[in-house]
Amino acid sequence: MFSSIIQFFVKAVKSPDIRRKLTITAVILVIYRLIAHIPAAGIDQASLQALFLGSPLLSLLDVFSGGTLANFSILALGLTPYINASIVMQLLTYVVPKLEELSKEGEFGQEKINQYTRLLSVPLAALQALGMYTLLRSQGVIPNLSAFSLIALVVTMAAGGIFSVWLGELITEYGISNGVSFLIFAGIVARLPVTLGQSISIISTQDILKVLIFLFLTVVIVALIVFMNEATRQIPVSYARRVGRIGLSSSYIPLRLNQAGVIPIIFAVSLVLLPSLLSQFLSGVSNPKIANLASQIAVAFNPTSLLYNVGYFLLVFGFTYFYTSIVFNPERISENLQKSGGFIPGIRPGSQTTHYLTQVLNRITLAGAVFLGLIAVLPSFFQNIVGVANLAVGGTGILIVVSVVLEMTREIEAQLVMKRYEAFI
């Protein structure tokens, strides 16, 4: 097994195109991680670290910022503004007729929507930078700034967020894998030694059994993630062809159980953390009624609470269906099949094929959505049942790491196969 893995990567490195993409990805990643260690001005680092150690929610948010929030670097916003802008644009696609028409115009329309998403990311980045300053000021991490210093901070943070998006898109275009997911993956992996070191330092003899259970469950979860990411439902398709006489050639449509990948969890985290962040902001208000309301919100949306986990699960579940409906359009697939002379055996072309594909897609998406939702709430399970409290390397982090590695492997394998065909031709 290990020899085959080594041979696979040796073949990848020997290919000039793949080697170039890997080099570009590595260079961009090094630049990103170096800039991620440049702190913004005026931050009390000791108070900031104490705040993150006492807030599992901020630690989880730091994972999705690519590990740049804990030291409040100039890239502290990470990819969050772009993720939120993507959510807004995809929702508007169903509401605004012009955007809906653009979404049906193939690659040109998608590029236009991506451009609008980037433009929307700019004001969202500025608003989030202002909100982050207000939150940290209420916690005593950052002092009151003058108007000029505040504008400079907001502009710097917003520029850092847009710069992160640009680096991610460079990886997508010239490197390996999806750039946004890869930068989040890099942030999780970069934090892993620190997280493991903190966990090992507090482990006592009585906790060894819990740690063994945690490690066993981690292996099981990784195996399940690999299985769910690779599992497909193959819909048989037949094509009429003429080779001297009428005949049929067969193929299939592969419907992945997890069509949406890690995107639903990334979207859901951006929303499920809002009430808790709002409560931390309101807790510093002098009005006792508002402060009391903030404490009630904080208790209700604690990561171990039932309301938080149910809301998180439902958000992941809903976003899975939502994103799957975007990436896989049964009506378009049915139309393309009909144009190319293909049909599903036993199903009439046209509306019946669309209905059949929709029905199958809904059934397999149900399994994928439930699985992603359970993975998302695993940290609370570890904390409440097993007794291991580590949100940063919980199910969400494991899912992103495994999914990105699988996606990279698939892309490299596809390019190796393409090279083999080119050599054969």
Side-chain angles (χ1 to χ4, degrees), residues 279-293:
S279 69
Q280 289 194 356
F281 167 68
L282 294 177
S283 62
V285 177
S286 57
N287 190 315
K289 291 184 178 180
I290 296 178
N292 183 48
L293 176 63

Side-chain angles (χ1 to χ4, degrees), residues 36 59 79 106 138 275 347 378 380:
S59 298
L79 300 155
S138 67
I347 308 294
L378 267 179
S380 293

Side-chain angles (χ1 to χ4, degrees), residues 290-346:
I290 296 178
N292 183 48
L293 176 63
S295 64
Q296 292 177 1
I297 294 174
V299 172
F301 284 91
N302 185 283
T304 59
S305 69
L306 179 63
L307 180 61
Y308 173 90
N309 286 283
V310 169
Y312 195 6
F313 179 89
L314 292 177
L315 282 171
V316 173
F317 189 90
F319 273 122
T320 302
Y321 269 95
F322 174 70
Y323 196 76
T324 300
S325 68
I326 292 173
V327 298
F328 188 91
N329 190 332
E331 187 175 348
R332 192 177 303 164
I333 298 295
S334 174
E335 184 180 340
N336 291 338
L337 279 177
Q338 196 169 9
K339 287 179 179 178
S340 59
F343 62 93
I344 299 173

Side-chain angles (χ1 to χ4, degrees), residues 118-140:
R118 297 185 198 105
L119 293 174
L120 182 60
S121 299
V122 177
L124 285 180
L127 287 173
Q128 289 181 19
L130 186 60
M132 190 177 295
Y133 160 74
T134 307
L135 171 63
L136 294 181
R137 187 189 61 183
S138 67
Q139 300 295 321

